[in-house]
Structures are given as C-alpha cells and as structure tokens.
C-alpha cells in the first residue's frame, strides 16, 4: 500500500473522529444490540422455566370442579373479571357438563377469546393444551373403567430420541445473535460512508481532494479502507460486549450454556472482513450516486434491507438451498454450522466470500469511474 493511500486513510479516520456524535451514532448499535438481546433472552428463559399464572374467567366453575382443579395445577385459575391481571379469555362450562361426564358422553366447554389479539395467543394455546391433556386423561380413565387397556388407542408409540448436543442447542440461540453481529458491520460504518462521500461533496471538499496529485483509485481504496475499519471496530465491540453480557444470562436453566469463546470471535472476524469490505463499497457507491447527504441516508436505509433479509433467510432457514452460496447468507449459515459444533462447510464459505469480494470489486470499479464524472463530483 503506497504512502499516499496510507496518508489518505489517516485523513479519513481523523475527519471521522472529529465528529464524535456521528462516530458514536454508528457504534450505538454495536454497543446496545447485545444488551437488548440479553434482556430478551432473560425474559424468554423466565417464561419458559417459570410461566406466570394465567387468570381467566370461568363460567359455571362449580359444574366441573375436577377440571377447575386440573387447570389450577397447570397455573390456570378462575380470576376476577374486573381484575387487571385477568386475561380477556372466557371458559364456559355447559350446564349438562357433569351429567354427560357421569354418563361417559362428551361434555362441552366453550373457549371464548379473540385469537387475532397477539397478546392473548400464547395464553389461548396454553389453555387449549391443558384442556386437551385433561381430555386425554379422562379418556384413559373411561377405558380403564370398562376394562380396556388405554394402550389400544395408541397403535403406534413414538419415542423421539433427541441427538442434539448442548453445543448444537446453544448454537440455535447464538445463531440468532450472529445475525445481529453481521448487521453491525453495516450499521457501524454507515455514517462515515455517507459523510466521506455525499458529505464531502456538499462541503465542496471532494473536488478539492480530486485536484491533488492522487489517482481516483487511491481515493477509492482509502475511503473503502476507512469505512471497513469502522465496520470492523463495530463488529469487535459487538463481540466483546456479547461475550461479557451473555455470561450473565442463566442458560443453565435451559440445560445448556452459550459462550462467545475465542474460537468463535476469531471465526467471526475472519468471516466478517469480506462482508465489511462489501458493506463499505455498497454504502459508498450508493452515497456517491445520491445528490445530497439526506438523499444518501434515505437510499442506504432502503439498501440495508437487502442484507437484513438475507441474514434472516439464513437464520430461520426459510429460503431455498441456493441462498447458501450468496453473500451474507452463505457466511451466516457457515457460522451457524460452526457454532453448533458441526463440520465447517468450507466450500460454501469460500464461494460466498469470493462472491462477496467480487461484488465489492465491482462496486469499487463503479466508484472509480463515477469520480471521473462532473455530475457525481458536483452533484449535478
């Protein structure tokens, strides 16, 4: 790397460091997201290990005392309809419930709730599962009372053998966190990318920079390197804060442990570097194409939806297998396999990383050519 490029990289980094608010705005995501993820995991573990009592309104509870007791043993009780902690769920027990149960007939209960209410959906499913469990127990008791082995109603007994290891279970959780780590690469360098392209043009310093005895290639390389450095700094911050914050989450209550160890950090940095370079090229290219600073912000906000969708498709496995060869999604899937303790798909990782760098090179060539155009330099 020539001395001119090194000098220009220092110039870009010094200019960026002067605007501390802009620097911190780009790093807020890297700092805050791991903490928010930990808060989400705390709430999730709390709900899974010790679900809150569910208070509903039960009409004619005296008509089915055994059912009411069974529901109470599952944390579902008859609450005061005027109380704040009582869900807007009503269980109506028919008047002939006891008579039909005594005769061995089907006894009717009516569940009244708004299934479109997102806040009630988990409670509704919980109540339905409890009712089905009680129905199954009553059905078995009826068969026994008639001298019939309840197992005749189960011609196939399915025994599920879970071969998942603690590492693979932890990988499912860490895989979701990995998506946010990859996205940190795009967010951390975004402000610098806009400021060093559209921002410099508005300040009329871009034309002055081009008037110096440096080639457009050297300018492009310096700007890409500076933005990539900020992107990698954001990734390092995300990893370090995740390593610290995740150690406080009570993973043992789920039967496994999640740790951001040194191997994962090194692998994440290796995989994240090509993504950081592509992110820098993409953001700079879009910013140069925009005619103003605000227009560049709008365009990049829209463009960042693409890596987010690719990351989500890889994390939730909701896309065809061809996505494993694409940038971001390919690297993310390889990382998920790595943290689950499986064999690293080197071919997939190599192809997706090569594709990532090829896109970055194409964008860099596009920037180099665009800086020779007066329309781009002066925003005409």
């Amino acid at each position: 790397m020539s001395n001119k490029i090194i000098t220009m990289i220092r110039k870009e980094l010094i200019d960026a460091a002067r605007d501390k608010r802009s620097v911190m705005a780009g790093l807020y995501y890297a700092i805050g997201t791991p903490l928010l993820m930990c808060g989400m995991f705390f709430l999730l573990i709390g709900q899974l290990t010790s679900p809150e009592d569910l208070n509903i309104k039960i009409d004619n509870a005296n008509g089915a005392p055994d059912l009411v007791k069974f529901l109470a043993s599952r944390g579902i009780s008859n609450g005061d309809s005027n109380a704040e902690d009582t869900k807007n769920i009503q269980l109506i027990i028919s008047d002939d419930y006891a008579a039909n149960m005594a005769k061995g007939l089907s006894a009717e209960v009516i569940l009244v709730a708004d299934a479109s209410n997102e806040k009630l959906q988990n409670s509704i499913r919980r109540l339905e599962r409890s009712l089905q469990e009680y129905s199954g127990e009553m059905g078995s008791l009826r068969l026994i009372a008639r001298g019939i082995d309840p197992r005749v109603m189960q011609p196939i007994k399915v025994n599920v053998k879970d071969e998942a290891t603690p590492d693979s279970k932890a990988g499912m959780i860490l895989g979701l966190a990995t998506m946010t780590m990859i996205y940190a690469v795009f967010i951390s360098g975004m402000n610098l990318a806009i400021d060093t392209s559209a921002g410099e043009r508005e300040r009329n310093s871009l034309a002055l920079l081009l008037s110096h005895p440096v080639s457009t290639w050297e300018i492009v390389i310096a700007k890409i390197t500076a933005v990539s450095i900020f992107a990698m700094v954001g990734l390092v911050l995300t990893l370090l804060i995740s390593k610290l914050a995740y150690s406080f989450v009570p993973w043992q209550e789920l039967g496994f442990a999640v740790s951001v160890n040194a191997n994962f950090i090194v692998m994440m940095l290796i995989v994240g570097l090509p993504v950081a370079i592509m992110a820098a090229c993409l953001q700079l290219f879009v910013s140069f194409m925009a005619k103003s600073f605000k227009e560049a912000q709008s365009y990049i906000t829209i463009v960042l939806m693409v890596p987010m969708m690719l990351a989500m498709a890889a994390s939730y496995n909701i896309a065809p297998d061809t996505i494993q060869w694409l940038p971001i999604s390919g690297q993310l899937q390889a990382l998920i396999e790595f943290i689950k303790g499986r064999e690293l798909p080197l071919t997939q990782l190599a192809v997706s990383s090569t594709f990532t760098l090829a896109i970055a090179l194409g964008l860099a060539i596009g920037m180099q050519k665009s800086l020779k155009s007066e329309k781009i330099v002066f925003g005409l």
Side-chain angles (χ1 to χ4, degrees), residues 317-333:
N317 197 21
I318 56 176
D321 293 339
T322 53
I323 200 172
Q324 66 183 346
W325 308 107
L326 297 180
I328 303 171
S329 57
Q331 286 99 328
L332 188 55
Q333 282 189 343

Side-chain angles (χ1 to χ4, degrees), residues 12-26:
E12 296 291 348
L13 295 177
I14 292 172
D15 287 347
R18 286 173 182 165
D19 190 356
K20 293 182 175 58
R21 288 187 177 182
S22 178
V23 171
M24 289 307 301

Side-chain angles (χ1 to χ4, degrees), residues 243 259-266 338:
K243 180 177 179 59
S259 63
V260 181
N261 54 37
N263 291 334
F264 174 76
I265 291 176
V266 171
F338 175 77

Side-chain angles (χ1 to χ4, degrees), residues 297-311:
Q297 286 181 318
S298 302
Y299 288 165
I300 286 183
T301 302
I302 297 172
V303 169
L304 288 185
M305 293 294 293
V306 177
M308 173 58 79
M309 288 187 292
L310 287 171

Side-chain angles (χ1 to χ4, degrees), residues 131-369:
L131 291 173
Q132 290 171 359
E133 186 178 351
Y134 180 78
S135 177
E137 289 188 8
M138 291 300 101
S140 297
L141 290 174
R142 286 181 177 182
L143 290 174
I144 292 173
R146 289 163 174 76
I148 302 174
D149 190 339
R151 289 177 293 183
V152 301
M153 299 299 295
Q154 297 177 335
I156 298 177
K157 183 179 180 181
V158 180
N159 290 322
V160 179
K161 184 178 180 181
D162 189 1
E163 294 185 348
T165 63
D167 289 340
S168 63
K169 291 179 180 179
M172 295 175 62
I173 301 294
L174 198 54
L176 177 62
T178 305
M179 180 181 72
T180 63
M181 296 175 185
I182 287 288
Y183 202 61
V185 170
F186 289 85
I187 299 298
S188 301
M190 180 177 67
N191 287 342
L192 176 58
I194 298 174
D195 185 70
T196 194
S197 52
E200 282 193 356
R201 182 170 53 204
E202 286 192 354
R203 295 190 297 268
N204 296 320
S205 58
L206 181 60
L208 180 62
L209 179 62
L210 289 168
S211 67
H212 285 72
V214 291
S215 66
T216 53
W217 257 122
E218 291 172 330
I219 294 174
V220 168
I221 292 173
K223 291 183 180 297
I224 291 173
T225 304
V227 176
S228 299
I229 289 173
F230 265 71
M232 292 301 293
V233 168
L235 179 58
V236 170
L237 275 176
T238 303
L239 290 168
L240 294 178
I241 295 174
S242 297
K243 180 177 179 59
L244 176 64
Y246 288 174
S247 63
F248 294 99
V249 180
W251 303 110
Q252 65 277 4
E253 296 187 14
L254 297 179
F256 56 82
V258 173
S259 63
V260 181
N261 54 37
N263 291 334
F264 174 76
I265 291 176
V266 171
M267 189 66 189
M268 190 73 197
L269 293 175
I270 293 173
V271 172
L273 181 58
V275 178
I277 295 172
M278 187 194 72
C281 293
L282 177 63
Q283 291 167 347
L284 285 168
F285 181 82
V286 172
S287 298
F288 275 124
M289 293 299 106
K291 293 184 178 181
S292 65
F293 190 93
K294 290 184 177 179
E295 188 176 335
Q297 286 181 318
S298 302
Y299 288 165
I300 286 183
T301 302
I302 297 172
V303 169
L304 288 185
M305 293 294 293
V306 177
M308 173 58 79
M309 288 187 292
L310 287 171
M312 291 180 65
S315 298
Y316 296 104
N317 197 21
I318 56 176
D321 293 339
T322 53
I323 200 172
Q324 66 183 346
W325 308 107
L326 297 180
I328 303 171
S329 57
Q331 286 99 328
L332 188 55
Q333 282 189 343
L335 279 169
I336 292 174
E337 293 296 310
F338 175 77
I339 60 183
K340 286 184 177 180
R342 300 172 183 169
E343 184 179 356
L344 184 66
L346 293 176
T347 303
Q348 172 186 335
L349 182 59
V351 171
S352 59
S353 297
T354 302
F355 195 11
T356 301
L357 293 175
I359 293 175
L361 178 60
L363 292 170
I365 293 173
M367 275 188 285
Q368 188 265 341
K369 291 183 178 180

